Amino acid sequence: MKMKQASFSFLLFLLISSFYSTTTLAQAPAASPKSPAKPSPSVPSLPQSPSSDSSDSSSDDIIRILRKAKSFSVLIRLLKTTQLINQINSELITTKSGGLTIFAPADSAFSQLKAGFLNSLDDNQKIELLQFHVLPNYVSSSNFDSLTNPVRTLAGDNPTRLQFNVTAYGNSVNISTGVTNTTVTGVVYSDKQLAIYQVDKVLLPLDFFQPKPPAPAPAIAEAPKADKDASSSGDDGKVGTAKHSSDAISLKNIGRRTFVSLAVAAVVAVAGM
């Protein structure tokens, strides 16, 4: 009897142990397979600004792109007041355009200028300043090393007055104008036609700080020559003298004739007596 009870207890123990092991295994979460590690980029890119996403932007509306970035209010105002934005937008939509690259100084860059500098510029100088920040072709962030110095801008390519040199090494892009040295600090916008890069300083051309060539002297009317006037006055004097002389000769001749006539008349009267 005792042996049967022991066997029954042992079987019951095995059943309970088996049930507990099955329940525990069913409740245990399945191990998830490990996801493959993402490859790290070999070449880091320039920092992207909040407006660098081109999914909802249009390359022909630069003002909207800059306004979305929220740090280019001074640049926006200058583009509007000089109306240069119209020229830039029109160049972007032309079929022959090779695109544009804009280096956009942030408001903090303009605040570094000497007080009153912008107000000291006339309208033509403000246009030249903005044109100096625009390249007439599209340059991607990985293609700066293909540029040839001095780089041509919309302001021109005079190497002595409009220097614009770009040096790219690694992840850094440096710009030198002979007055300003700055770096590209981020990408504001980029597609296949338009690229806008943020710079931490306003790009100042040498043209603003070199003496201007002297303006041509105005033409001066030639004064009448003295000898000509003298000769004219001398001729007038001679003519007058000659006239007076001829008048005197005429009177003298008349006087002689009158005297001769009176003398003849006196002789005839004496003879008749």
Side-chain angles (χ1 to χ4, degrees), residues 126-147:
K126 289 179 181 178
I127 292 175
E128 180 180 321
L129 178 65
L130 293 175
Q131 289 176 330
F132 194 61
H133 287 73
V134 183
L135 307 187
N137 56 292
Y138 169 76
V139 182
S140 67
S141 59
S142 61
N143 205 31
F144 280 107
D145 56 354
S146 66
L147 296 176

Side-chain angles (χ1 to χ4, degrees), residues 83-118:
Q83 299 184 356
L84 185 65
I85 187 61
N86 299 331
Q87 174 192 348
I88 295 176
N89 281 334
S90 63
E91 288 192 14
L92 278 175
I93 62 178
T94 57
T95 57
K96 296 182 180 180
S97 174
L100 292 175
T101 301
I102 301 175
F103 296 96
D107 294 339
S108 58
F110 282 100
S111 66
Q112 299 177 35
L113 294 175
K114 183 179 179 181
F117 177 80
L118 288 179

